[in-house]
Amino acid sequence: AQKVTQAQTEISVVEKEDVTLDCVYETRDTTYYLFWYKQPPSGELVFLIRRNSFDEQNEISGRYSWNFQKSTSSFNFTITASQVVDSAVYFCALSADTGGGNKLTFGTGTQLKVEL
Amino acid sequence: GAGVSQSPSNKVTEKGKDVELRCDPISGHTALYWYRQSLGQGLEFLIYFQGNSAPDKSGLPSDRFSAERTGGSVSTLTIQRTQQEDSAVYLCASSPLYEQYFGPGTRLTVT
């Protein structure tokens, strides 16, 4: 069985602060994929990033960066110099290439509030 | 380009009635998924379609739920004899391979 844990239910920061959202996963599959999605107040889930289990290189995209560590089964997401527009619920998700599709197992989400 | 669209955006129905929710995926995406988002259960997988293969129905919560995908494109999720616990946001996603792109969802309220 697969499991994704996002222990932080809610985080509040002041604009321009850096913030890290934690994600820990469990899977017995050797090939799997990790994702982050953003759900702003409008409700639509927005794809942010996908990582493959065989690629542990960290990634940076503008103010966003992701740290993937297989040794600790973690895939953490850092927003640098946060902005009010970053306020949203962020979901970490996992899928395995089982030949039966890549259905996502989601964490419970972290509500990020960025205040002025 | 056009994203995933879902209709209706909101649906209020009485307990015991049947409802149909529609999803139009991104053109060219071969895979289509339905998920449900509710306060108590979070985001849950319901069903998956890939091309002409038999769908993966392993996430459907009961036999009152069914879905079909016609012509490898549009999909309809049907809930028969709705119950109050079916109240949730139903999300559709389409995928070219790994990433899934979600629609805005249908908010279903069963009274």
Side-chain angles (χ1 to χ4, degrees):
Chain A
Q2 299 179 345
K3 186 178 179 182
V4 176
T5 300
Q6 295 180 256
Q8 304 151 308
T9 305
E10 186 172 319
I11 301 175
S12 289
V13 298
V14 176
E15 203 175 37
K16 298 182 184 176
E17 283 186 12
D18 298 347
V19 59
T20 295
L21 309 182
D22 297 332
C23 173
V24 174
Y25 63 92
E26 295 176 30
T27 181
R28 294 183 178 179
D29 296 290
T30 54
T31 301
Y32 53 89
Y33 306 92
L34 295 162
F35 304 81
W36 276 95
Y37 282 86
K38 174 182 180 179
Q39 188 173 44
S42 60
E44 194 156 339
L45 278 165
V46 178
F47 167 77
L48 295 178
I49 190 171
R50 169 178 63 89
R51 293 311 271 169
N52 306 332
S53 54
F54 45 86
D55 181 3
E56 284 193 74
Q57 225 175 2
N58 292 326
E59 184 157 339
I60 299 174
S61 176
R63 296 184 297 108
Y64 294 171
S65 62
W66 291 269
N67 183 300
F68 175 28
Q69 292 195 341
K70 284 179 83 168
S71 61
T72 55
S73 298
S74 64
F75 185 45
N76 297 337
F77 173 28
T78 297
I79 302 174
T80 303
S82 59
Q83 300 177 1
V84 172
V85 293
D86 296 327
S87 296
V89 180
Y90 290 86
F91 290 94
C92 181
L94 167 71
S95 74
D97 190 358
T98 60
N102 290 291
K103 53 191 174 189
L104 295 169
T105 298
F106 285 90
T108 50
T110 297
Q111 169 88 58
L112 174 65
K113 295 184 179 179
V114 182
E115 298 165 334
L116 292 170
Chain B
V4 177
S5 61
Q6 294 186 244
S7 60
S9 55
N10 280 284
K11 176 73 176 178
V12 180
T13 190
E14 292 180 353
K15 178 182 172 182
K17 296 281 179 69
D18 297 352
V19 295
E20 284 189 354
L21 313 179
R22 178 187 168 104
C23 172
D24 281 272
I26 295 171
S27 177
H29 284 191
T30 57
L32 186 147
Y33 300 79
W34 283 96
Y35 294 85
R36 178 169 72 173
Q37 185 173 26
S38 59
L39 280 176
Q41 302 299 320
L43 275 154
E44 307 171 276
F45 164 78
L46 296 177
I47 189 169
Y48 155 70
F49 296 90
Q50 173 66 54
N52 295 320
S53 303
D56 177 353
K57 306 179 183 178
S58 60
L60 295 179
S62 78
D63 58 8
R64 295 186 296 104
F65 288 71
S66 64
E68 62 177 20
R69 189 179 184 193
T70 54
S73 181
V74 171
S75 178
T76 302
L77 177 69
T78 301
I79 308 174
Q80 296 179 311
R81 305 181 302 281
T82 52
Q83 304 294 311
Q84 287 188 330
E85 61 261 29
D86 299 335
S87 295
V89 177
Y90 289 82
L91 296 164
C92 175
S94 71
S95 173
L97 188 57
Y98 297 115
E99 295 87 17
Q100 294 179 30
Y101 298 91
F102 285 80
T106 294
R107 181 174 296 278
L108 176 66
T109 304
V110 182
T111 61

